[in-house]
Amino acid sequence: MAHKMGIIGYGGMACYHHDNSKRVQERVKDFKVVAAHDIDPNRLKLAEEKGLKPYENLKDFLNDDSFDLVLVATPNNFHKPMVIAALEAGKNVICEKPVAMSVGDFDDMWDAAKKNGKLFTVHQNRRWDRDFRIVKEAVETGLLGKPYTIESRVMGQNGVMHGWRAYKVAGGGMVFDWGVHLIDQMLWMIKEPVAEVYANLHSVKTPEVDDYFKAVIRFDSGLSTQIEVGTYNLEMLPRWYACGDGGAIVVNGWDCKGKITHAKDFEMKWEQEVVQTEGGPTRTMAPRPKETLEELPLPNVQTDWTDYYHNVLAALDGKEELIVKPEEVRKVVQVMTAIFESSATGNSIKIDRYYK
């Protein structure tokens, strides 16, 4: 079935979606972006130059029956009214992340989707990041055994926040920017309930919002995961680091260089003598003999961000189940809310108690 899309908010991310749609068309021939609404005349001029029908008036845009799918790509604080207006107009909706800044706002959007019988999803495109899919593959296929700790981080060095990201009113800060992606990845990979969250937020170079945060998310099984995002980290740590009772994995960056380490079938015994190391004498932390370890290459995983749109269009046609489901997105919003509350109170937040 042919599907056409209109865009609300023709900014940087909207241009990305529009340009990326040409790659989507290579797989789904009948898909096309046809219209755009924005309050900035310069953005509308650009949209028109790129072949889209421009709309200054939102009502006129939503009354256009030439498209059945709407992408909401406005600043975060405008997501809720725009999403609900599009759903009430009978459109299916993709919303940019973060979809909402509170669980209540998200529920209002989801209720509107259910009331109008329309598809509602969020652009969590980083579920298709290759570095993430490598770790997901290693966890799900048992290459690490039973994992007990997983660390995910994104670090920058410039201390610069671009556009809306620097302003609280617009839903800025790293929790709402990169954090939402890393939380979504972790919750999609670990298929069990979150038990509690503990977090610290810092404003290192940006007064209004967090430009660094660290959150520990503990799952029901006891698995401890850590998400860390910063814009002023002059020394970098690995993108991913995880350990299980059967191995460990490190992925150093988006270039996906790293390794899996396994222990060979070798019985470790207490040494009679204390081992001397650069850090002083120790037995427990003494280096393991090299011959007892083996290094394996990372899983060979290939990904494509256009798979997100392919799935949405297939879901509209009833051919596939939606991958980024509203109920999953709601859990991400719950965890983000808990992160802010934990940092504000200094307490660990139990998800079930506060955000059922």
Side-chain angles (χ1 to χ4, degrees):
M1 183 184 296
H3 294 286
K4 304 293 187 290
M5 186 170 79
I7 300 175
I8 298 177
Y10 200 73
M13 278 307 301
C15 287
Y16 157 79
H17 283 275
H18 186 194
D19 293 340
N20 201 40
S21 70
K22 297 174 178 62
R23 291 186 59 224
V24 178
Q25 288 172 33
E26 295 174 5
R27 300 173 61 183
V28 186
K29 301 299 183 183
D30 291 332
F31 174 67
K32 189 176 182 181
V33 181
V34 296
H37 161 67
D38 204 296
I39 60 173
D40 184 343
N42 293 324
R43 302 308 300 181
L44 280 183
K45 181 180 179 182
L46 176 62
E48 188 172 21
E49 289 172 353
K50 296 180 76 169
L52 303 184
K53 186 173 182 179
Y55 283 97
E56 184 177 358
N57 183 276
L58 176 63
K59 185 176 180 180
D60 292 341
F61 169 85
L62 293 176
N63 284 335
D64 185 341
D65 60 5
S66 69
F67 56 90
D68 62 331
L69 179 63
V70 167
L71 167 71
V72 176
T74 62
N76 301 336
N77 52 318
F78 294 105
H79 284 177
K80 177 181 173 179
M82 296 299 179
V83 166
I84 292 176
L87 291 167
E88 294 286 357
K91 307 293 188 182
N92 301 292
V93 175
I94 297 171
C95 185
E96 256 302 335
K97 61 81 193 172
V99 61
M101 291 182 283
S102 73
V103 177
D105 283 352
F106 175 80
D107 286 345
D108 289 343
M109 289 184 264
W110 194 9
D111 286 346
K114 289 183 284 189
K115 183 182 74 173
N116 292 282
K118 294 299 173 181
L119 179 143
F120 171 47
T121 187
V122 178
H123 187 234
Q124 292 289 6
N125 58 310
R126 291 194 176 274
R127 290 192 185 188
W128 285 265
D129 279 8
R130 185 163 170 257
D131 61 276
F132 163 63
R133 285 298 186 95
I134 286 171
V135 176
K136 186 173 184 285
E137 175 81 4
V139 169
E140 292 180 347
T141 59
L143 287 173
L144 309 183
K146 182 180 179 181
Y148 57 86
T149 181
I150 302 175
E151 298 177 8
S152 169
R153 61 178 58 83
V154 170
M155 293 178 162
Q157 294 181 311
N158 298 318
V160 176
M161 305 278 273
H162 299 283
W164 58 266
R165 293 168 180 83
Y167 301 100
K168 185 175 182 178
V169 67
M174 285 296 103
V175 173
F176 282 139
D177 187 24
W178 269 100
V180 64
H181 281 309
L182 304 195
I183 295 164
D184 181 72
Q185 288 178 342
M186 196 71 76
L187 267 58
W188 195 49
M189 176 169 58
I190 308 301
K191 303 294 188 182
E192 58 180 88
V194 173
E196 60 183 334
V197 175
Y198 180 78
N200 287 304
L201 277 63
H202 297 272
S203 300
V204 182
K205 298 289 183 179
T206 315
E208 279 196 30
V209 296
D210 60 288
D211 52 14
Y212 173 88
F213 80 90
K214 182 182 290 185
V216 176
I217 302 171
R218 186 176 67 81
F219 290 84
D220 271 3
S221 67
L223 170 63
S224 176
T225 67
Q226 177 178 294
I227 292 175
E228 183 177 13
V229 179
T231 63
Y232 195 66
N233 300 93
L234 301 184
E235 291 290 342
M236 302 293 192
L237 291 172
R239 170 71 183 87
W240 292 92
Y241 171 76
C243 288
D245 60 10
I249 186 171
V250 62
V251 180
N252 289 311
W254 286 309
D255 58 3
C256 297
K257 293 180 180 179
K259 61 183 178 180
I260 291 175
T261 302
H262 280 178
K264 294 182 180 178
D265 188 11
F266 183 87
E267 185 180 355
M268 297 298 295
K269 297 180 180 179
W270 287 104
E271 297 292 340
Q272 294 299 316
E273 301 295 328
V274 174
V275 178
Q276 295 294 330
T277 71
E278 292 290 338
T282 181
R283 283 179 176 151
T284 305
M285 298 303 171
R288 188 182 178 106
K290 291 183 179 179
E291 63 270 17
T292 71
L293 296 173
E294 63 176 352
E295 293 183 2
L296 304 175
L298 297 174
N300 183 16
V301 177
Q302 300 301 319
T303 59
D304 189 334
W305 277 9
T306 63
D307 286 346
Y308 171 84
Y309 268 103
H310 185 268
N311 171 252
V312 169
L313 297 171
L316 284 172
D317 291 340
K319 296 178 180 179
E320 291 183 13
E321 184 177 314
L322 193 64
I323 291 178
V324 183
K325 301 175 179 63
E327 55 267 34
E328 295 171 344
V329 175
R330 189 178 192 274
K331 292 175 183 177
V332 174
V333 180
Q334 288 176 320
V335 170
M336 288 195 299
T337 306
I339 284 173
F340 286 113
E341 184 169 344
S342 176
S343 185
T345 63
N347 297 321
S348 177
I349 305 301
K350 295 189 182 299
I351 294 291
D352 286 345
R353 182 184 302 173
Y354 288 86
Y355 303 110
K356 275 194 172 179

